[in-house]
Amino acid sequence: MCTACELYADATQTVFGSGRTGAAMMLIGEQPGDQEDIAGEPFVGPAGRVLDRALERAGVVRSDVYVTNVVKHFRFQRQGKLRIHRTPGVQHVRACLPWLRAELAAVEPQLLVTLGSTAAKALLGAAFRLTQHRGEILEYENRPLVATIHPSAVLRGPKDRQAEMFDELVADLKLAGHTAGSV
Ligand code: URA
């Protein structure tokens, strides 16, 4: 268990990444959600199901990639029986970065994909704007990085934009797959 910030106190467990070392691609989300906190695995809830569909459409096999989050504990607010997601603060991202660094050193992926703006800002700086650079091949510490939207943005987006947002996610994952040579 990690106690580098206070989030461990209310979460069920630390959720590290999942996948094999040597994976060509590392997908980096924000933080575990309600279901991930319980299962102890990243992206197994509703956002994970969108991610799975998008990976399949992009021709990327999930078991070939390493999937993780910048923050390894679920940050939430209780509302009755519900645990409502809260975006992690910069202090949580900062406290958790050594874990991501350790995962990068262990997995040695050729390419990174950030899912959503928390992950992109964690690696590329607070001034990074996903709306301006989504789908571009950027760079993080000498590795190519593709910044795309978070799968949960597809679920939360306006109904008439959801299909288009899903297609954007698929296109970015396809670009990442081709760039990493894993498709
Ligand atoms: N959202 C994330 O960013 N990561 C998960 O693991 C689940 C939902």
Side-chain angles (χ1 to χ4, degrees), residues 15 26 41 53 57 59 78 85 171:
V15 182
M26 183 183 280
E41 287 281 320
R53 277 202 294 126
R57 270 269 300 276
R78 285 195 192 277
H85 163 275

Side-chain angles (χ1 to χ4, degrees), residues 18-20 23 25-27 55 60-67:
S18 144
R20 56 180 184 85
M25 208 193 290
M26 183 183 280
L27 305 184
L55 285 169
V60 178
V61 176
R62 177 155 171 173
S63 56
D64 285 349
V65 304
Y66 187 89
V67 181

Side-chain angles (χ1 to χ4, degrees), residues 29-33 36 41-44 47-48 68-69 115 150 152:
E30 181 192 79
Q31 64 172 356
E36 289 79 11
E41 287 281 320
F43 284 102
V44 293
T68 193
N69 287 299
L115 303 167
H150 196 285
S152 67

